[in-house]
């Protein structure tokens, strides 16, 4: 198991770490919010998938998380730009919020470029937020460890998440 780092969080950000869903394989339909992931395995985020749900696995897998944002959090965020802080992903990711792609780190075949140490912050149009939200992350691991392996993982005002990244590095 990797060591978990405790990070001081800003009061306006909401943590997204903890139990997610995961499945090995690759299907573009898995990015859609209406996809039924009830049969998927549970996975801890952040943690290397080899230490959890996908031991000895190299390839592509998807993570999914369903979450709600309390009305008081939306009020605190007012008109500030909103982002998702995904932590570090080994090796590459494509990240979708409610079926819309909001960011990518590294690249998938045929280019295969790793960004395994880079913390991801993906700013998005707050109109994408719904009552229940689905965050779907396509992850490619080419060798060694894989997955969303290092936090922090959160949603909130983009400037506060950038400050969290500065603290974490």
């Amino acid at each position: 198991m990797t060591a978990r780092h405790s990070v001081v969080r800003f009061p306006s950000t909401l943590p997204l770490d903890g139990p997610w869903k995961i499945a090995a394989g690759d299907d573009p339909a898995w990015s859609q919010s209406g996809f039924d992931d009830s049969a998927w395995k549970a996975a801890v985020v952040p943690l290397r998938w080899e230490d959890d749900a996908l031991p000895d696995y190299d390839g592509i897998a998807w993570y999914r998380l369903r979450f709600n944002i309390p009305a008081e959090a939306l009020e605190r965020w007012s008109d500030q730009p909103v982002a998702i802080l995904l932590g570090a992903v080994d090796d590459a990711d494509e990240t979708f919020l409610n079926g819309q792609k909001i960011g990518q780190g590294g690249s998938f075949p045929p280019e295969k470029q790793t960004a395994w140490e880079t913390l991801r912050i993906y700013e998005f149009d707050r109109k994408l937020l719904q009552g229940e939200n689905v965050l779907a992350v396509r992850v490619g691991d080419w060798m060694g460890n894989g997955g969303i392996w290092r936090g922090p993982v959160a949603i909130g005002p983009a400037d506060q998440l950038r400050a969290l990244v500065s603290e974490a590095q």
Side-chain angles (χ1 to χ4, degrees), residues 19-156:
W20 287 45
K21 299 277 192 145
I22 193 169
D26 194 18
D27 184 338
W30 297 351
S31 69
Q32 298 304 305
S33 58
F35 176 78
D36 180 6
D37 57 21
S38 61
W40 285 23
K41 295 179 180 180
V44 175
V45 169
L47 183 64
R48 299 179 302 207
W49 67 36
E50 286 85 356
D51 293 334
D52 193 26
L54 300 175
D56 301 319
Y57 180 71
D58 289 325
I60 297 177
W62 283 75
Y63 287 90
R64 289 175 55 90
L65 175 70
R66 295 178 186 279
F67 65 96
N68 297 309
I69 300 173
E72 56 272 12
L74 290 171
E75 288 175 24
R76 280 195 312 265
W77 300 349
S78 63
D79 59 353
Q80 298 176 72
V82 179
I84 288 187
L85 171 55
L86 195 55
V89 181
D90 190 356
D91 284 296
D93 75 281
E94 289 182 314
T95 299
F96 300 82
L97 178 62
N98 296 325
Q100 298 294 311
K101 186 174 177 180
I102 61 170
Q104 177 172 343
S107 57
F108 289 80
E111 292 84 29
K112 269 194 198 177
Q113 182 178 1
T114 185
W116 72 277
E117 281 191 301
T118 305
L119 297 180
R120 274 77 155 169
I121 296 180
Y122 299 135
E123 199 169 312
F124 60 89
D125 185 339
R126 69 185 313 119
K127 292 176 185 170
L128 284 178
L129 294 172
Q130 302 172 3
E132 179 181 69
N133 299 282
V134 177
L135 188 58
V137 183
R138 178 183 185 225
V139 175
D141 173 39
W142 319 133
M143 59 187 278
N145 296 318
I148 304 171
W149 67 276
R150 185 177 81 197
V153 182
I155 186 171

Side-chain angles (χ1 to χ4, degrees), residues 9-13 76-77 80-81 85 121 156-165:
R9 298 192 190 277
F10 287 93
S12 291
T13 64
R76 280 195 312 265
W77 300 349
Q80 298 176 72
L85 171 55
I121 296 180
D159 61 341
Q160 292 184 25
L161 293 174
R162 285 187 188 93
L164 277 176
V165 167

